[in-house]
Amino acid sequence: MRFGIHTLDEFDVQGKTVLCRVDMNQPVDRATDTLKSVQRITACAPTIRELSDKGAKVVLLAHQGSDIEYKNFYCTRPHAKVLTELLGREVKWIDDVCGPAAREAIRALKDGEILLLDNVRFCSEEQTLFELKLCLTHEQQAKTQVVEKLAPLADLYVCDAFAAAHRDQPTLCGFEQVLPSAMGRLFEREYCVVSELMEAPEHPCTFVLGGSKISDAFMMMETVLSSGAADTILTGGLVGQILLASQGVEIGSGTLGFIEKSGYAEFIEKAKGFYSKYADRIVLPVDLAQVVDGARSEAKVGEIPADFDAMDIGSETAARYREIILNSKTVFANGPVGVFEKPESELGTKVLFTAMAETEGYTVVGGGDSVTAAKQYNVTDKLGYICTGGGALIRFLTGEELPVVKALRHAAKAFPAE
């Protein structure tokens, strides 16, 4: 047991039916029914292989696509193909989650066989609106269809989806109420690495904060700054732009319009008090860049045109941030600092990720966009640790107990290991 949670080492899975929740959410090419990335699938493959090698009947539950817009959902069929190639053994797939066909396929499994169910978010109880509007307790989640239909067929529940550990949904938190449960190898590694680092990071410790998860970002900054874990916060993306606006800096109508359209305008006022409290440790951009007619142009803070539409930090800011990173002993990064997918607005992200590859300090990056950026700049093998979760990592760094961690700890008490 680690951190009050059972591990796979505590269970004999031979001949047992194991429900294993993974996070294999990847960009999909619908035209070819293929995945554009297999990073998360590769990360969870060791847990699946171990369960299969030990003779378990492995039933995989996974989601695919953003659960804010239903149109982004997609089936998990291509994931089964990738897993089959990675594992060198057949991974069966069925276009059902908890209906009669899925249950019959689970009952028919032989020892060592693997079955991937379809996208769990095809079930309404797995969607974000269901989660946010109903706010079911974990006990109530245990009474949802997906848990009531599948749990009676299983002997053990394994959660290997650290990237989704901040979500409070039945396939993540409901099964622990009715089944012995453990964390998978990927979950165990990610949770332990981040926990140990946060307990005693080597200083100076720098956080690079970009992306667009504003509410989580401010909660996280409060925690790591007040606890003394962070010596410096380098800001970019919407986080940096909102902090600049909170100080009365002109950031451009295009930039402000995007912030308002995204529903983040309320954070400008909140950021004002926050920055005044920690101004000595929060570093703001000194210049920004926009792209007009395919050409990059930069403007210094204080000289930004009224119609400016920021898409990246400026080159002077990138150079300053680079020096801070190179002189840090620990660096956490979550999210790009600009629209790195376009060559005209990738400079900031490219400079910072390259610096993280060059620094002698220990580096941790988290989140899908950060992983993509690391691969884009060929630095994945030069980083200390790459965490599959972005939202989960930020929530963890806020000091908040993640819903899945809470559920797994409950199961450890309710169902002692064999």
Side-chain angles (χ1 to χ4, degrees):
M1 185 180 293
R2 304 186 73 177
F3 299 96
I5 301 172
H6 288 314
T7 70
L8 292 181
D9 296 323
E10 298 165 68
F11 295 92
D12 177 6
V13 298
Q14 172 66 43
K16 305 293 179 61
T17 298
V18 178
L19 296 177
C20 183
R21 178 59 159 96
V22 293
D23 189 335
M24 300 190 294
N25 190 23
Q26 301 279 200
V28 175
D29 185 337
R30 293 173 182 246
T32 60
D33 192 39
T34 58
L35 302 176
K36 297 179 181 179
S37 171
V38 298
Q39 190 271 335
R40 282 182 170 172
I41 301 179
T42 302
C44 66
T47 293
I48 300 169
R49 179 183 288 108
E50 179 178 345
L51 291 170
S52 175
D53 286 347
K54 289 182 176 179
K57 302 167 185 176
V58 186
V59 182
L60 301 176
L61 299 99
H63 68 277
Q64 174 57 49
S66 167
D67 51 356
I68 297 297
E69 296 181 76
Y70 189 83
K71 65 182 180 181
N72 288 330
F73 291 164
Y74 198 73
C75 70
T76 57
R77 179 176 54 243
H79 307 67
K81 296 177 183 177
V82 172
L83 268 176
T84 295
E85 295 174 1
L86 286 174
L87 298 174
R89 67 196 71 176
E90 181 187 10
V91 174
K92 300 179 180 181
W93 179 77
I94 188 167
D95 59 347
D96 188 15
V97 179
C98 60
R103 300 199 302 274
E104 185 56 35
I106 293 171
R107 294 189 187 97
L109 285 175
K110 296 181 175 61
D111 294 358
E113 290 188 334
I114 305 167
L115 171 67
L116 173 60
L117 303 178
D118 211 347
N119 188 352
V120 296
R121 286 181 177 168
F122 286 153
C123 300
S124 61
E125 57 207 39
E126 282 289 306
Q127 296 178 23
T128 296
L129 289 178
F130 193 98
E131 174 186 352
L132 298 179
K133 295 296 183 183
L134 296 185
C135 301
L136 298 184
T137 65
H138 290 176
E139 291 77 15
Q140 290 171 324
Q141 290 180 35
K143 300 183 184 300
T144 56
Q145 284 261 320
V146 67
V147 178
E148 288 199 328
K149 296 292 186 183
L150 297 183
L153 305 177
D155 301 292
L156 177 69
Y157 170 77
V158 173
C159 187
D160 209 27
F162 181 78
H166 59 302
R167 309 312 300 266
D168 210 339
Q169 298 167 342
T171 63
L172 292 161
C173 302
F175 287 108
E176 293 95 329
Q177 313 309 309
V178 294
L179 285 173
S181 303
M183 56 182 168
R185 298 305 187 190
L186 175 61
F187 194 113
E188 180 180 357
R189 185 170 72 250
E190 300 205 307
Y191 187 66
C192 292
V193 165
V194 180
S195 296
E196 291 167 2
L197 276 174
M198 284 309 299
E199 284 178 7
E202 192 172 356
H203 294 276
C205 178
T206 299
F207 281 72
V208 181
L209 197 57
S212 59
K213 296 182 178 178
I214 305 303
S215 58
D216 285 348
F218 279 103
M219 281 195 297
M220 183 272 283
M221 282 194 287
E222 175 70 40
T223 299
V224 299
L225 288 170
S226 63
S227 68
D231 298 295
T232 306
I233 302 280
L234 305 180
T235 64
L238 286 178
V239 177
Q241 293 158 17
I242 286 174
L243 281 163
L244 285 173
S246 75
Q247 301 307 298
V249 174
E250 172 65 63
I251 58 175
S253 59
T255 313
L256 193 58
F258 183 80
I259 290 172
E260 292 173 344
K261 185 174 68 175
S262 302
Y264 296 136
E266 62 180 284
F267 287 97
I268 294 177
E269 187 61 33
K270 294 180 181 179
K272 186 181 299 183
F274 182 81
Y275 183 71
S276 65
K277 185 177 180 181
Y278 296 109
D280 60 325
R281 287 187 284 164
I282 299 176
V283 185
L284 303 183
V286 294
D287 56 351
L288 298 173
Q290 67 172 345
V291 178
V292 179
D293 296 328
R296 179 187 178 97
S297 65
E298 300 186 356
K300 294 184 180 297
V301 169
E303 301 175 7
I304 294 175
D307 60 349
F308 203 82
D309 187 2
M311 296 184 70
D312 191 15
I313 58 174
S315 54
E316 185 177 341
T317 300
R320 290 187 178 191
Y321 286 7
R322 171 183 167 80
E323 286 304 310
I324 294 172
I325 290 171
L326 291 176
N327 288 298
S328 298
K329 294 294 186 182
T330 308
V331 183
F332 286 86
N334 190 85
V337 293
V339 184
F340 72 97
E341 296 88 349
K342 298 181 179 181
E344 301 85 4
S345 51
E346 71 166 346
L347 184 145
T349 302
K350 184 176 183 178
V351 168
L352 269 55
F353 273 72
T354 301
M356 284 188 284
E358 295 175 356
T359 183
E360 295 181 0
Y362 189 80
T363 52
V364 179
V365 301
D369 286 341
S370 294
V371 172
T372 301
K375 291 181 67 176
Q376 182 168 312
Y377 304 123
N378 298 313
V379 299
T380 52
D381 59 341
K382 299 176 183 177
L383 299 172
Y385 191 74
I386 298 176
C387 182
T388 60
L393 178 61
I394 288 183
R395 289 292 180 90
F396 180 86
L397 296 177
T398 67
E400 171 187 330
E401 184 179 42
L402 300 172
V404 176
V405 171
K406 180 179 180 180
L408 287 168
R409 284 175 173 160
H410 164 81
K413 294 178 181 179
F415 305 98
E418 299 171 355

